[in-house]
Amino acid sequence: MKRMTPLLTLLTGTGMAAVLFAMSAQAAPRTVDPRTAANAAAPPEAAVVSPAAPAEPPPDAAPAEPSEQRGQPAPSQTAPPTTPPAAKADSNWTGRLDGGATIAITVTDGKAVAYVCDGKKLEVWLNGTAANGKMKLTGKKGEVLTGSFGDGAASGEMVVGQRRWKFTAKQTSKPDPVLYRATSQQRRSGVDGGWIMLPDGSQIGVVTRNGTPVSAPPLDPAFGTTILDGRTVTAAPVAADPGAGE
């Protein structure tokens, strides 16, 4: 019994020392990085990312269109529709008035010339326009010719003072001139005249010499000449020139 007493004392002292060491370790403060502890404690989904601040637009920048704000392209700006140019006619017509006179109309680039004659003494030159299926021409003494054209035909009326005549004409199938007139040099010499070339190869016209109208002698289109009382008269095709009615 006396032999075991020192051993029990040693074991008891050792146990007490172990208990005191453990208590001392628990009571001592731990040195831990707070950032490491926070990151370790917080779950991944709890991390919050601060949004970046929106970029400020430049001071002079124009506000975006609503469609651009939604990420869609802005509608393109289209120019307003313009009025299409008038449809001009480039054709020849020959026909008759209901009073028996013959008429020829020639149009070039929308400009029109008409000649009406009876092959004896009546003759009228008219100038005007023809476009979009309508024509209007006037003469030196107030004569007015109005009408419409299309599908190879033209029709309308001519008014001279209180008198009115209806006319109808067909478009010629050949590009050959249908109207000839005495040249300006010939007219200055006192001789004027007009000729209508008809589709059947015949022609009709009136020549006025010193103010007196007579039936026009046949004109040779190849040379543009004819003979009147032994004198040569020259003529040229009429192509809707503004001076044709002078």
Side-chain angles (χ1 to χ4, degrees):
M1 189 64 180
K2 291 182 179 180
R3 292 179 180 177
M4 295 181 63
T5 299
L7 179 60
L8 291 175
T9 302
L10 179 60
L11 292 175
T12 301
T14 303
M16 290 296 293
V19 171
L20 291 175
F21 179 81
M23 292 177 63
S24 176
Q26 291 179 356
R30 299 180 179 179
T31 303
V32 182
D33 189 347
R35 292 175 297 177
T36 305
N39 292 336
E45 60 272 12
V48 179
V49 179
S50 299
E56 292 292 335
D60 298 333
E65 296 293 335
S67 57
E68 292 177 341
Q69 294 175 353
R70 294 193 299 268
Q72 299 177 359
S76 59
Q77 299 294 328
T78 57
T82 57
T83 303
K88 299 177 181 180
D90 291 317
S91 301
N92 297 319
W93 295 270
T94 59
R96 298 181 69 84
L97 277 68
D98 56 9
T102 303
I103 183 173
I105 306 169
T106 183
V107 179
T108 304
D109 196 24
K111 296 181 179 180
V113 172
Y115 180 59
V116 178
C117 74
D118 63 358
K120 298 177 182 178
K121 60 180 182 179
L122 171 67
E123 67 171 351
V124 179
W125 288 96
L126 306 102
N127 293 274
T129 59
N132 292 328
K134 301 292 182 181
M135 62 177 65
K136 183 175 182 180
L137 301 89
T138 57
K140 291 177 60 177
K141 297 181 179 180
E143 305 93 340
V144 178
L145 186 145
T146 56
S148 59
F149 60 90
D151 296 329
S155 62
E157 69 173 5
M158 186 178 75
V159 179
V160 181
Q162 300 298 318
R163 305 187 65 180
R164 296 173 180 267
W165 295 272
K166 299 288 185 181
F167 78 87
T168 58
K170 291 184 178 181
Q171 186 175 0
T172 59
S173 58
K174 297 180 180 180
D176 299 337
V178 297
L179 271 180
Y180 284 79
R181 188 175 186 180
T183 63
S184 57
Q185 181 178 2
Q186 191 74 68
R187 298 199 297 269
R188 286 194 295 268
S189 68
V191 178
D192 195 0
W195 288 260
I196 298 175
M197 303 297 168
L198 298 171
D200 61 2
S202 63
Q203 54 181 273
I204 186 173
V206 171
V207 173
T208 299
R209 184 182 59 187
N210 297 325
T212 302
V214 296
S215 296
L219 179 73
D220 184 354
F223 298 96
T225 58
T226 188
I227 303 298
L228 178 65
D229 296 338
R231 296 176 55 186
T232 300
V233 176
T234 57
V238 175
D241 65 290
E246 297 179 355

